[in-house]
């Protein structure tokens, strides 16, 4: 009887400790990110001057899960506001949700700098919702983005990051002033560039 009890207690303790270790291991692979920065529209620009709608009006937050030292998956929400520098009545606000794969270039290369620096490439698909300041209704778009993200590790868990990303929108109906991109109201291929500075924290 005592032997069965001790065996059962030993097995329960083992499985509890193993479960805690696995749970801890899962959490240690999660990274939270937040960044803020600059956006520049690149298309459609017919009838507008793109630089008039550029500015430091971009924010994003996200979470990344490390599959291994090189590959990961990442989900982000971003808000990009394009507003005419001289007339705030003209503009376009874009909300964007993305799912991406990440690839750690320095870790993959085995570079000696990998303990202090990282450089990640990321790419994926998502959905965007654009709200015009001069037209009612919202523009729903499929978005593709690709970017590169250098990181400097302050500590083992905290990093400063820079992120340069290009976003491509399919069937974008509005230009960055908020007017229809085409006179017939049909969509076109749109795009914009973002450059962010941010922070990443591993759990």
């Amino acid at each position: 009887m005592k032997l069965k009890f001790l065996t059962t207690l030993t097995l329960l303790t083992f499985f509890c400790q193993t479960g805690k270790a696995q749970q801890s291991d899962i959490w240690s692979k999660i990274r939270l990110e937040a960044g803020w920065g600059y956006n520049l529209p690149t298309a459609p620009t017919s009838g507008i001057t793109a630089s008039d709608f550029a500015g430091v009006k971009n924010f994003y937050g996200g979470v990344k899960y490390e599959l291994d030292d090189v590959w990961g998956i990442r989900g982000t929400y971003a808000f990009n506001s394009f507003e005419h520098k001289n007339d705030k009545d003209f503009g376009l606000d874009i909300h964007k949700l993305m799912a991406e794969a990440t690839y750690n270039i320095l870790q993959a290369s085995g570079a000696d700098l990998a303990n202090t620096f990282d450089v990640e490439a990321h790419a994926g698909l998502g959905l965007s919702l654009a709200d015009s300041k001069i037209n009612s209704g919202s523009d729903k778009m499929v978005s593709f983005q690709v970017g590169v993200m250098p990181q400097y590790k302050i500590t083992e868990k905290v990093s400063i990051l820079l992120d340069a990303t290009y976003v491509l929108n399919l069937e974008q109906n509005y230009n960055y002033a908020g007017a229809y991109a085409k006179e017939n109201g049909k969509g076109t291929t749109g795009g914009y560039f973002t450059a962010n500075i941010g922070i990443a924290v591993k759990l």
Side-chain angles (χ1 to χ4, degrees):
M1 185 70 177
K2 285 184 179 180
L3 182 60
K4 287 182 179 179
F5 175 76
L6 288 173
T7 303
T8 303
L9 185 63
T10 302
L11 288 172
L12 283 174
T13 303
F14 172 76
F15 286 122
C16 284
Q17 291 300 323
T18 302
K20 285 181 181 178
Q22 289 176 343
Q23 190 176 39
S24 175
D25 189 48
I26 289 172
W27 284 105
S28 69
K29 294 181 178 182
I30 294 175
R31 184 181 80 188
L32 303 179
E33 301 174 16
W36 171 76
Y38 173 84
N39 48 26
L40 172 68
T42 58
T45 56
S46 178
I48 67 169
T49 302
S51 59
D52 287 345
F53 295 88
V56 183
K57 294 178 180 177
N58 169 41
F59 166 81
Y60 92 92
V63 59
K64 176 195 166 186
Y65 181 78
E66 296 175 349
L67 299 173
D68 55 34
D69 289 341
V70 176
W71 291 97
I73 52 177
R74 180 175 180 248
T76 57
Y77 162 78
F79 174 73
N80 297 276
S81 182
F82 299 92
E83 187 176 81
H84 194 282
K85 63 181 181 179
N86 297 322
D87 192 341
K88 295 183 178 181
D89 290 335
F90 293 92
L92 191 69
D93 292 335
I94 299 178
H95 303 268
K96 174 170 60 73
L97 286 172
M98 299 294 298
E100 296 179 280
T102 66
Y103 182 78
N104 194 313
I105 298 169
L106 285 190
Q107 291 287 352
S109 69
D112 292 337
L113 294 174
N115 290 328
T116 306
F117 293 95
D118 271 330
V119 179
E120 287 184 357
H122 59 90
L125 288 168
L127 297 172
S128 292
L129 185 69
D131 293 322
S132 167
K133 293 190 176 182
I134 61 175
N135 282 311
S136 60
S138 296
D139 186 9
K140 300 175 183 68
M141 303 170 286
V142 173
S143 299
F144 170 78
Q145 73 179 28
V146 59
V148 63
M149 184 187 298
Q151 301 158 46
Y152 172 72
K153 298 177 183 177
I154 300 174
T155 68
E156 187 179 339
K157 292 193 172 184
V158 180
S159 300
I160 298 294
L161 58 85
L162 299 173
D163 181 33
T165 297
Y166 187 76
V167 182
L168 188 71
N169 295 322
L170 303 180
E171 293 300 315
Q172 182 169 329
N173 292 317
Y174 297 139
N175 66 19
Y176 295 94
Y180 286 108
K182 291 186 174 181
E183 290 183 5
N184 59 11
K186 291 186 178 181
T188 186
T189 301
Y192 57 92
F193 170 79
T194 66
N196 293 303
I197 184 169
I199 188 167
V201 179
K202 291 187 73 173
L203 301 183

